[in-house]
Amino acid sequence: MRKPVRPVLVVIAHGSRDPRHAATVHALVRRVRSLRPGVRVETGFLDFNIPSVHGVLESLAAEGVRDVVALPLLLTRAFHAKADIPAVLRDAPARLRIRQAEVLGPSPLLLSALERRLHEAGLTPADKPSTGVVLASAGSSDPEAIAVIAEIAREWRHTGWCAVRPAFASASLPRTEDAVRELRELGCARVAVAPYVLAPGFLPDRIARGAAEADVLAEVLGPAPEVARVLLERYDAARTPALAAVGA
C-alpha cells in the first residue's frame, strides 16, 4: 500500500516593510526544513512581502498538490488568526484540502526559547533569583491574546525569576518602559527585557526603545531551534486527523 503523501506546510507570516522581518522568517523556515527534510515547507505573507499566501496556494494547486497545512506564524490567537487568515484560506483554490494549524503559543518550548535569548544576552541561571524580566509582546486589542500573555508571565515567574511582568508595544498597557520601572521599584537587582516576538520590525523596535533603562535586552525569538520545533508540533497536530482518515 502506498504511503500517504505528507501535506505541504505553508507558513503564513504577517509581512513587514522592514526587510529584517522577511529575512528572519526565511531563516526560521530553513531551520524547520533542516529538522524535517521529508516535509515540503513554503512561506506566504499576508502583506508587504512576496510571495503572498494566495499566490503560494495558487501555485500549489497548479502543481497538483491536494493537502496543505496552513500554519499561522503567530504567538497568540488574535485578529489575524481568527479573521484574516481564515478569510485568505476560504479564497484558496477549491482543489486544495487545507487545515489551519494552531498558533505557536503558548508552549513550554517558547519559554525555553526566551531563556535561550536571555542567556545569549549575558544572563546565567545564577542570575535568575535577582533578575526581573519584562515579557514584552507586540500587543493586541483581543482580550484572549492579552490574557494569554499575562498567564505566560505568571507561569514563567515560577521558574525562579525575581519577578516577571508583561508589557505591550501597542494596543494594551503597560508599555515596556513602565514595566522596567516597576521591576526596579520592586527591588530587582537587575532588569531584563525579553521580546516575545518572532521577527524584527516596527513594534520590536519600539520594545527596544522601551528597554533603554533595562540592564539586558534579548534578541527576538527568530529562528531559535525551539521555535522551529513548535512549528513542527503544530504541523503534526493539524495533519493527524487527515492521516487517521486514510488509515495511516
Side-chain angles (χ1 to χ4, degrees), residues 50-68:
I50 55 175
S52 68
V53 178
H54 183 73
V56 169
L57 296 175
E58 289 277 0
S59 296
L60 291 174
E63 289 180 32
V65 170
R66 292 296 304 275
D67 291 304
V68 170

PDB file of all heavy atoms in Angstrom, residues 50-68:
ATOM      1  N   ILE A  50       6.474  39.288  -0.688  1.00  0.00           N
ATOM      2  CA  ILE A  50       6.068  38.239  -1.603  1.00  0.00           C
ATOM      3  C   ILE A  50       6.907  36.995  -1.321  1.00  0.00           C
ATOM      4  O   ILE A  50       8.024  37.105  -0.799  1.00  0.00           O
ATOM      5  CB  ILE A  50       6.228  38.685  -3.079  1.00  0.00           C
ATOM      6  CG1 ILE A  50       7.664  39.158  -3.351  1.00  0.00           C
ATOM      7  CG2 ILE A  50       5.213  39.732  -3.441  1.00  0.00           C
ATOM      8  CD1 ILE A  50       7.931  39.487  -4.804  1.00  0.00           C
ATOM      9  N   PRO A  51       6.321  35.822  -1.633  1.00  0.00           N
ATOM     10  CA  PRO A  51       5.021  35.595  -2.266  1.00  0.00           C
ATOM     11  C   PRO A  51       3.870  35.796  -1.285  1.00  0.00           C
ATOM     12  O   PRO A  51       4.038  35.619  -0.076  1.00  0.00           O
ATOM     13  CB  PRO A  51       5.111  34.149  -2.732  1.00  0.00           C
ATOM     14  CG  PRO A  51       6.012  33.499  -1.735  1.00  0.00           C
ATOM     15  CD  PRO A  51       7.037  34.549  -1.378  1.00  0.00           C
ATOM     16  N   SER A  52       2.724  36.158  -1.815  1.00  0.00           N
ATOM     17  CA  SER A  52       1.526  36.252  -0.988  1.00  0.00           C
ATOM     18  C   SER A  52       1.022  34.856  -0.655  1.00  0.00           C
ATOM     19  O   SER A  52       1.353  33.882  -1.339  1.00  0.00           O
ATOM     20  CB  SER A  52       0.430  37.028  -1.724  1.00  0.00           C
ATOM     21  OG  SER A  52      -0.023  36.272  -2.839  1.00  0.00           O
ATOM     22  N   VAL A  53       0.221  34.762   0.387  1.00  0.00           N
ATOM     23  CA  VAL A  53      -0.380  33.472   0.741  1.00  0.00           C
ATOM     24  C   VAL A  53      -1.213  32.960  -0.427  1.00  0.00           C
ATOM     25  O   VAL A  53      -1.132  31.776  -0.801  1.00  0.00           O
ATOM     26  CB  VAL A  53      -1.247  33.599   2.011  1.00  0.00           C
ATOM     27  CG1 VAL A  53      -1.908  32.264   2.339  1.00  0.00           C
ATOM     28  CG2 VAL A  53      -0.408  34.084   3.184  1.00  0.00           C
ATOM     29  N   HIS A  54      -2.014  33.838  -1.014  1.00  0.00           N
ATOM     30  CA  HIS A  54      -2.860  33.425  -2.133  1.00  0.00           C
ATOM     31  C   HIS A  54      -2.015  32.908  -3.295  1.00  0.00           C
ATOM     32  O   HIS A  54      -2.346  31.885  -3.923  1.00  0.00           O
ATOM     33  CB  HIS A  54      -3.727  34.599  -2.592  1.00  0.00           C
ATOM     34  CG  HIS A  54      -4.671  34.249  -3.695  1.00  0.00           C
ATOM     35  ND1 HIS A  54      -5.806  33.480  -3.496  1.00  0.00           N
ATOM     36  CD2 HIS A  54      -4.640  34.547  -5.028  1.00  0.00           C
ATOM     37  CE1 HIS A  54      -6.436  33.329  -4.640  1.00  0.00           C
ATOM     38  NE2 HIS A  54      -5.750  33.961  -5.587  1.00  0.00           N
ATOM     39  N   GLY A  55      -0.910  33.606  -3.590  1.00  0.00           N
ATOM     40  CA  GLY A  55      -0.052  33.170  -4.677  1.00  0.00           C
ATOM     41  C   GLY A  55       0.556  31.804  -4.431  1.00  0.00           C
ATOM     42  O   GLY A  55       0.644  30.971  -5.352  1.00  0.00           O
ATOM     43  N   VAL A  56       0.984  31.544  -3.203  1.00  0.00           N
ATOM     44  CA  VAL A  56       1.552  30.239  -2.859  1.00  0.00           C
ATOM     45  C   VAL A  56       0.508  29.137  -3.045  1.00  0.00           C
ATOM     46  O   VAL A  56       0.789  28.076  -3.633  1.00  0.00           O
ATOM     47  CB  VAL A  56       2.089  30.241  -1.417  1.00  0.00           C
ATOM     48  CG1 VAL A  56       2.439  28.822  -0.967  1.00  0.00           C
ATOM     49  CG2 VAL A  56       3.303  31.145  -1.306  1.00  0.00           C
ATOM     50  N   LEU A  57      -0.702  29.376  -2.563  1.00  0.00           N
ATOM     51  CA  LEU A  57      -1.750  28.365  -2.666  1.00  0.00           C
ATOM     52  C   LEU A  57      -2.136  28.111  -4.123  1.00  0.00           C
ATOM     53  O   LEU A  57      -2.374  26.964  -4.529  1.00  0.00           O
ATOM     54  CB  LEU A  57      -2.967  28.788  -1.846  1.00  0.00           C
ATOM     55  CG  LEU A  57      -2.728  28.895  -0.333  1.00  0.00           C
ATOM     56  CD1 LEU A  57      -3.974  29.432   0.359  1.00  0.00           C
ATOM     57  CD2 LEU A  57      -2.335  27.554   0.257  1.00  0.00           C
ATOM     58  N   GLU A  58      -2.200  29.164  -4.920  1.00  0.00           N
ATOM     59  CA  GLU A  58      -2.489  29.008  -6.356  1.00  0.00           C
ATOM     60  C   GLU A  58      -1.411  28.165  -7.028  1.00  0.00           C
ATOM     61  O   GLU A  58      -1.721  27.277  -7.844  1.00  0.00           O
ATOM     62  CB  GLU A  58      -2.578  30.383  -7.016  1.00  0.00           C
ATOM     63  CG  GLU A  58      -3.808  31.196  -6.638  1.00  0.00           C
ATOM     64  CD  GLU A  58      -5.027  30.822  -7.471  1.00  0.00           C
ATOM     65  OE1 GLU A  58      -4.903  29.930  -8.331  1.00  0.00           O
ATOM     66  OE2 GLU A  58      -6.095  31.428  -7.255  1.00  0.00           O
ATOM     67  N   SER A  59      -0.161  28.414  -6.694  1.00  0.00           N
ATOM     68  CA  SER A  59       0.936  27.660  -7.291  1.00  0.00           C
ATOM     69  C   SER A  59       0.885  26.185  -6.899  1.00  0.00           C
ATOM     70  O   SER A  59       1.100  25.295  -7.740  1.00  0.00           O
ATOM     71  CB  SER A  59       2.278  28.264  -6.882  1.00  0.00           C
ATOM     72  OG  SER A  59       2.431  29.573  -7.390  1.00  0.00           O
ATOM     73  N   LEU A  60       0.590  25.924  -5.637  1.00  0.00           N
ATOM     74  CA  LEU A  60       0.499  24.534  -5.184  1.00  0.00           C
ATOM     75  C   LEU A  60      -0.626  23.798  -5.896  1.00  0.00           C
ATOM     76  O   LEU A  60      -0.469  22.646  -6.326  1.00  0.00           O
ATOM     77  CB  LEU A  60       0.307  24.490  -3.667  1.00  0.00           C
ATOM     78  CG  LEU A  60       1.502  24.942  -2.820  1.00  0.00           C
ATOM     79  CD1 LEU A  60       1.115  24.995  -1.348  1.00  0.00           C
ATOM     80  CD2 LEU A  60       2.696  24.022  -3.025  1.00  0.00           C
ATOM     81  N   ALA A  61      -1.763  24.467  -6.029  1.00  0.00           N
ATOM     82  CA  ALA A  61      -2.892  23.840  -6.717  1.00  0.00           C
ATOM     83  C   ALA A  61      -2.544  23.549  -8.172  1.00  0.00           C
ATOM     84  O   ALA A  61      -2.898  22.490  -8.715  1.00  0.00           O
ATOM     85  CB  ALA A  61      -4.122  24.736  -6.624  1.00  0.00           C
ATOM     86  N   ALA A  62      -1.828  24.478  -8.813  1.00  0.00           N
ATOM     87  CA  ALA A  62      -1.446  24.281 -10.212  1.00  0.00           C
ATOM     88  C   ALA A  62      -0.489  23.108 -10.377  1.00  0.00           C
ATOM     89  O   ALA A  62      -0.468  22.455 -11.425  1.00  0.00           O
ATOM     90  CB  ALA A  62      -0.814  25.566 -10.754  1.00  0.00           C
ATOM     91  N   GLU A  63       0.294  22.815  -9.336  1.00  0.00           N
ATOM     92  CA  GLU A  63       1.213  21.677  -9.370  1.00  0.00           C
ATOM     93  C   GLU A  63       0.506  20.347  -9.153  1.00  0.00           C
ATOM     94  O   GLU A  63       1.090  19.291  -9.340  1.00  0.00           O
ATOM     95  CB  GLU A  63       2.274  21.837  -8.283  1.00  0.00           C
ATOM     96  CG  GLU A  63       3.287  22.915  -8.521  1.00  0.00           C
ATOM     97  CD  GLU A  63       4.285  22.995  -7.385  1.00  0.00           C
ATOM     98  OE1 GLU A  63       4.578  21.929  -6.768  1.00  0.00           O
ATOM     99  OE2 GLU A  63       4.757  24.091  -7.074  1.00  0.00           O
ATOM    100  N   GLY A  64      -0.722  20.403  -8.655  1.00  0.00           N
ATOM    101  CA  GLY A  64      -1.440  19.170  -8.358  1.00  0.00           C
ATOM    102  C   GLY A  64      -1.432  18.779  -6.902  1.00  0.00           C
ATOM    103  O   GLY A  64      -1.901  17.700  -6.536  1.00  0.00           O
ATOM    104  N   VAL A  65      -0.923  19.654  -6.046  1.00  0.00           N
ATOM    105  CA  VAL A  65      -0.948  19.380  -4.604  1.00  0.00           C
ATOM    106  C   VAL A  65      -2.393  19.344  -4.134  1.00  0.00           C
ATOM    107  O   VAL A  65      -3.232  20.134  -4.577  1.00  0.00           O
ATOM    108  CB  VAL A  65      -0.153  20.471  -3.840  1.00  0.00           C
ATOM    109  CG1 VAL A  65      -0.372  20.346  -2.333  1.00  0.00           C
ATOM    110  CG2 VAL A  65       1.323  20.386  -4.178  1.00  0.00           C
ATOM    111  N   ARG A  66      -2.681  18.436  -3.214  1.00  0.00           N
ATOM    112  CA  ARG A  66      -4.048  18.337  -2.684  1.00  0.00           C
ATOM    113  C   ARG A  66      -4.149  18.776  -1.228  1.00  0.00           C
ATOM    114  O   ARG A  66      -5.089  19.467  -0.848  1.00  0.00           O
ATOM    115  CB  ARG A  66      -4.551  16.884  -2.804  1.00  0.00           C
ATOM    116  CG  ARG A  66      -4.765  16.411  -4.220  1.00  0.00           C
ATOM    117  CD  ARG A  66      -5.859  17.201  -4.935  1.00  0.00           C
ATOM    118  NE  ARG A  66      -7.127  17.189  -4.224  1.00  0.00           N
ATOM    119  CZ  ARG A  66      -8.043  16.226  -4.322  1.00  0.00           C
ATOM    120  NH1 ARG A  66      -7.814  15.176  -5.107  1.00  0.00           N
ATOM    121  NH2 ARG A  66      -9.170  16.301  -3.665  1.00  0.00           N
ATOM    122  N   ASP A  67      -3.195  18.340  -0.401  1.00  0.00           N
ATOM    123  CA  ASP A  67      -3.305  18.556   1.047  1.00  0.00           C
ATOM    124  C   ASP A  67      -2.293  19.582   1.546  1.00  0.00           C
ATOM    125  O   ASP A  67      -1.099  19.496   1.248  1.00  0.00           O
ATOM    126  CB  ASP A  67      -3.108  17.237   1.806  1.00  0.00           C
ATOM    127  CG  ASP A  67      -4.261  16.286   1.573  1.00  0.00           C
ATOM    128  OD1 ASP A  67      -5.407  16.684   1.843  1.00  0.00           O
ATOM    129  OD2 ASP A  67      -4.022  15.158   1.100  1.00  0.00           O
ATOM    130  N   VAL A  68      -2.804  20.535   2.318  1.00  0.00           N
ATOM    131  CA  VAL A  68      -1.984  21.620   2.845  1.00  0.00           C
ATOM    132  C   VAL A  68      -2.312  21.832   4.320  1.00  0.00           C
ATOM    133  O   VAL A  68      -3.476  21.789   4.715  1.00  0.00           O
ATOM    134  CB  VAL A  68      -2.256  22.935   2.071  1.00  0.00           C
ATOM    135  CG1 VAL A  68      -1.591  24.124   2.755  1.00  0.00           C
ATOM    136  CG2 VAL A  68      -1.783  22.818   0.629  1.00  0.00           C
TER     137      VAL A  68
END
